Amino acid sequence: DNFQLTYPDRRFEDVYAGALWTTQLAANHQLSVRLDHARQVSRQSWRTCLPTVALLPEMFDLWRANPAYANAVLAGQLPQGGTPEDDVLALRAITTIQALGAEAAAPRCLRANQDAVQSRLDLELQDTYVFSDRLRVVAGLGLRRQSGESQTFLGGEQTSSVRWVFANLEYRPVQRLTLNAGGYAERNSLSPSTFSPRAAANFNVAPGHTLRVVLSAGTRSPDIQ
């Protein structure tokens, strides 16, 4: 930042671990379980000396409502063009600054940080069944638990969970044509449930030459990380 006294060096620590267990229940039936864990730690702090006015809660409330108003007040100007609520917050901030007098410009030194810890644990079960040379199905379900911890960005620790089920059917009516149909349903503690369908056709025109047509829809879920 413009007031920093030391360099904001960043230190990383990443840990990843995973395991996959597979068993053959029959010649045409396979079951697998996958477990993954990831943890990322980022430490970044620096010493900075800000003017007292920048640390006032009244200025924070004003900046959250209208950053342009906050910048105008910091520049010693009277902001205009906002909502009546913005005007009330601006008046409150200006009154507090005037009450402080010269102290409003006095520096306040502190140690700022952008520390963050992220962790994620995934458990997924997948079942594969081959009915014949022309038809097979893959289906499964999973659970994810994830968390993020940061006083700066999250005000502490926040957690979320995700549950999902999926299935895909593959059918080969003739040797050169393979059809796929499937879907993925997800329930996220941060958002409404979603369903993503997918259909595809693969036509083998010639050896080494395949024409593919795919129709699908997907949803990106929010993430605290």
Side-chain angles (χ1 to χ4, degrees):
D1 63 61
N2 295 331
F3 305 96
Q4 70 187 50
L5 300 180
T6 60
Y7 291 109
D9 296 333
R10 180 178 295 176
R11 293 175 291 126
F12 288 103
E13 178 184 317
D14 293 345
V15 177
Y16 299 95
L20 176 64
W21 177 78
T22 303
T23 182
Q24 201 73 29
L25 301 177
N28 62 336
H29 192 189
Q30 184 185 80
L31 183 69
S32 64
V33 179
R34 178 180 58 84
L35 180 66
D36 294 310
H37 173 69
R39 178 180 171 87
Q40 296 88 38
V41 180
S42 174
R43 303 295 184 191
Q44 183 183 34
S45 64
W46 66 96
R47 186 166 175 78
T48 183
C49 291
L50 299 169
T52 301
V53 63
L55 302 175
L56 295 176
E58 292 83 0
M59 285 300 301
F60 175 73
D61 293 339
L62 179 60
W63 177 85
R64 186 167 53 180
N66 191 327
Y69 260 46
N71 292 332
V73 171
L74 288 175
Q77 302 170 357
L78 185 63
Q80 296 178 349
T83 65
E85 290 78 11
D86 295 340
D87 293 335
V88 171
L89 292 173
L91 179 60
R92 187 180 303 165
I94 293 172
T95 301
T96 303
I97 294 172
Q98 291 175 345
L100 288 174
E103 188 180 349
R108 290 291 183 269
C109 296
L110 50 86
R111 182 163 292 278
N113 77 79
Q114 294 187 147
D115 296 348
V117 179
Q118 305 176 38
S119 63
R120 178 171 172 172
L121 182 65
D122 288 75
L123 176 64
E124 184 176 87
L125 173 68
Q126 179 175 295
D127 189 28
T128 304
Y129 195 90
V130 180
F131 290 92
S132 66
D133 292 340
R134 293 187 174 185
L135 180 65
R136 63 179 177 176
V137 175
V138 177
L141 52 86
L143 173 65
R144 175 183 304 133
R145 181 75 172 177
Q146 53 194 12
S147 66
E149 181 182 352
S150 174
Q151 289 296 333
T152 302
F153 298 112
L154 300 174
E157 183 179 10
Q158 300 290 332
T159 61
S160 67
S161 60
V162 182
R163 288 172 285 177
W164 66 87
V165 294
F166 63 91
N168 181 73
L169 182 145
E170 179 181 289
Y171 178 58
R172 184 174 296 175
V174 295
Q175 187 63 29
R176 290 190 173 186
L177 180 63
T178 302
L179 303 175
N180 293 91
Y184 172 90
E186 179 181 279
R187 183 172 185 179
N188 191 319
S189 62
L190 298 177
S191 64
S193 301
T194 61
F195 177 71
S196 302
R198 183 180 187 275
N202 295 269
F203 183 69
N204 191 348
V205 180
H209 186 189
T210 301
L211 178 65
R212 175 182 297 175
V213 179
V214 180
L215 179 64
S216 63
T219 303
R220 183 184 178 98
S221 301
D223 192 334
I224 59 175
Q225 305 179 33

